[in-house]
Amino acid sequence: MQTLKRIPYLGTVALLVYMPFHIFLTQSLSLLTGGLDAWKVAKDVATALLLILILFLVFSQGKTNKLFGWFFGLATAYGLIHLLVWVINPDIYRQTAILGSVYNNRLIWYLLIGMGSAILCPVQMNQRRIIRIVLLVSSLVCLLGILQYFLPKDILTHLGYSLERGVKPAFFIDDKTDLPRIMSTLRDPNSLGAYLILPITLLVYKLFHVRKSRQTLLIGLLGLHGLALLLTFSRSAWVGTAISLAFFGAYHARKHLTALAKKYWPILVGAVLLIGGLTLVFRNQYAVQNILVHSDKNTTAQYDSNEYHYEYAKRGLSGIWHNPLGNGPGTAGIVSIQNPHGGLLTENYFIQIGYEVGLLGLLVFVIVNILIYKLLSRSTTPLAICLLASFWGYVLVNMLLHSWSNEAVASQWWLLAGLAIGTPLVNDRAKKVIAKKPTTIRRKLPATS
């Protein structure tokens, strides 16, 4: 049994390490072995098997933690809603319905895996070690991404990347070859940008809590991550990172920030007005139109990037309005584009969930998010603080993209959220056991005359 209890910890670490490289390894290794679809599905099969093992181990302990039980109940309800909506819409495309159900539900699977690992492996589950692993992996991803910017843009075609195999080999702003974007080992630049929000927040936290002798290394790593984030040219990730760091700053130095804001507010207001004014003055410049605004007036496309966001979101909201019970899993989001009959990119993860599984499914998902936020806010560990700070950054990103559908982004945040929530549960249980021991000992002592 003790050997089995180590598997959740090893599995959690394996997911954190593997998922950022999943696309790269799947595309390249399948050239040698074949079975591209098997490589794609393997990660989710492994995740499901790990979850089943953790559920067995946690529930076999006898007295199950109530909070873990609540999240398991919500996960079950969320999964049943997907099945029910599928039954109501039996004509939806089967393959995308399966993929959509897996992609949507695996968020809560990751959460339960993280929580279960912390409950079952409290000794091995050292948060500092986990953070180091996360930052080591993200640093390697950044290094490969920056290297990609200077290499030939078709280099990934030699490693199996192609539209026919499901992944573009290169990305450019509005398909202009003079404006390349990096995605490193992830699926696309926006996913890479979203993935980097949490590691950047962790690095900033560590920068404020280490000796000066180690700050040089952290500054270098922060510069590496910042450059990679910049080269994604993902505006949503830029803003999401800014929001995450703003929340971290408000938590870490709220008193100092308030004093500084009162003292230097004219400078802050002036800086905002200056940046806004310069953007307005140079709005018709090539760089501003393409890099910042993503709206080139010289293009002949029907919509620019911003207009596509608005149009897709409007279509998604219209679908929810006309069918509040849901149109079926896999009918919206990145999975839906595999449907030969057509799908819908809502460009908003929350609208996607509402479109697929209706208002009830969206309500369950929002409740899960609220519970996570409340539980993280009760903890003062570095991991919990950074997850809490990045929460709103990811809310913003997912209101503009389908970032939670990306395995690297989703596994990193939701696994770590489970670990951060699960660790206090173990500590509280240990405190209760220790508190009971003196009473037990006194009861065993013989009475004295």
Side-chain angles (χ1 to χ4, degrees), residues 111-374:
L111 181 74
L112 289 172
I113 289 171
M115 287 184 67
S117 298
I119 293 170
L120 295 167
C121 316
V123 177
Q124 292 94 343
M125 200 56 67
N126 183 297
Q127 288 195 13
R128 289 185 179 180
R129 186 188 304 130
I130 295 295
I131 291 173
R132 283 198 294 268
I133 292 172
V134 169
L135 292 178
L136 179 63
V137 172
S138 65
S139 297
L140 180 57
V141 169
C142 290
L143 192 61
L144 292 173
I146 294 170
L147 183 63
Q148 178 189 21
Y149 186 80
F150 298 99
L151 291 173
K153 303 312 171 195
D154 64 343
I155 189 170
L156 290 177
T157 58
H158 304 293
L159 296 174
Y161 282 63
S162 68
L163 287 175
E164 293 75 17
R165 289 167 57 85
V167 186
K168 290 180 66 174
F171 286 83
F172 307 91
I173 298 176
D174 293 332
D175 294 326
K176 296 175 181 175
T177 55
D178 61 328
L179 296 171
R181 305 174 68 186
I182 67 169
M183 77 282 199
S184 188
T185 56
L186 277 74
R187 182 176 296 276
D188 58 82
N190 290 322
S191 295
L192 174 59
Y195 168 78
L196 293 176
I197 292 175
L198 181 56
I200 288 174
T201 308
L202 287 168
L203 283 169
V204 172
Y205 180 94
K206 290 179 73 67
L207 192 61
F208 283 93
H209 295 85
V210 297
R211 298 186 300 272
K212 289 186 177 180
S213 59
R214 298 186 60 188
Q215 286 183 344
T216 303
L217 173 62
L218 289 173
I219 291 172
L221 290 176
L222 191 57
L224 180 72
H225 284 68
L227 180 57
L229 177 66
L230 175 66
L231 294 178
T232 64
F233 294 102
S234 173
R235 296 168 301 165
S236 59
W238 292 350
V239 177
T241 304
I243 291 174
S244 179
L245 296 181
F247 270 88
F248 168 74
Y251 175 87
H252 184 266
R254 47 190 177 274
K255 294 182 180 179
H256 299 290
L257 288 175
T258 302
L260 289 172
K262 289 181 179 179
K263 186 175 182 180
Y264 296 107
W265 70 266
I267 297 176
L268 295 174
V269 172
V272 171
L273 292 176
L274 178 62
I275 294 172
L278 289 173
T279 302
L280 182 64
V281 170
F282 295 104
R283 65 187 183 279
N284 293 322
Q285 297 297 313
Y286 182 79
V288 174
Q289 283 188 3
N290 288 279
I291 295 176
L292 292 180
V293 186
H294 285 207
S295 176
D296 191 345
K297 302 302 181 184
N298 297 320
T299 185
T300 58
Q302 181 182 5
Y303 300 114
D304 61 32
S305 176
N306 304 309
E307 291 168 339
Y308 271 118
H309 280 288
Y310 172 75
E311 184 65 25
Y312 287 151
K314 186 173 71 173
R315 293 178 189 176
L317 289 172
S318 176
I320 296 173
W321 175 262
H322 289 99
N323 192 1
L325 294 178
N327 296 276
T331 55
I334 62 173
V335 167
S336 68
I337 62 178
Q338 299 183 37
N339 188 339
H341 306 297
L344 176 66
L345 286 172
T346 61
E347 296 287 6
N348 183 309
Y349 187 79
F350 300 98
I351 294 177
Q352 173 199 323
I353 296 300
Y355 185 93
E356 288 184 297
V357 291
L359 295 177
L360 182 59
L362 178 60
L363 177 62
V364 173
F365 181 70
V366 171
I367 288 173
V368 170
N369 277 265
I370 293 172
L371 283 175
I372 293 172
Y373 189 83
K374 289 187 67 175

Side-chain angles (χ1 to χ4, degrees), residues 4-5 7-8 48-58 120:
L4 277 178
K5 286 186 177 182
I7 294 177
L49 292 175
L50 179 61
L51 174 62
I52 292 170
L53 174 62
I54 287 174
L55 291 175
F56 168 75
L57 292 175
V58 171
L120 295 167

Side-chain angles (χ1 to χ4, degrees), residues 15 44 47 51 71 75 78 82 99-115 349-350 352-353 356 365-366 368-369 372 394 398 402-418:
L15 288 173
D44 294 314
T47 300
L51 174 62
F71 277 115
Y78 197 49
H82 279 72
L99 287 175
S101 298
V102 171
Y103 277 40
N104 295 345
N105 283 275
R106 70 184 179 187
L107 298 181
I108 312 181
W109 296 356
Y110 291 140
L111 181 74
L112 289 172
I113 289 171
M115 287 184 67
Y349 187 79
F350 300 98
Q352 173 199 323
I353 296 300
E356 288 184 297
F365 181 70
V366 171
V368 170
N369 277 265
I372 293 172
Y394 282 110
N398 280 283
H402 305 274
S403 292
W404 283 147
S405 295
N406 182 271
E407 56 278 324
V409 182
S411 62
Q412 178 182 245
W413 197 91
W414 288 78
L415 278 171
L416 294 177

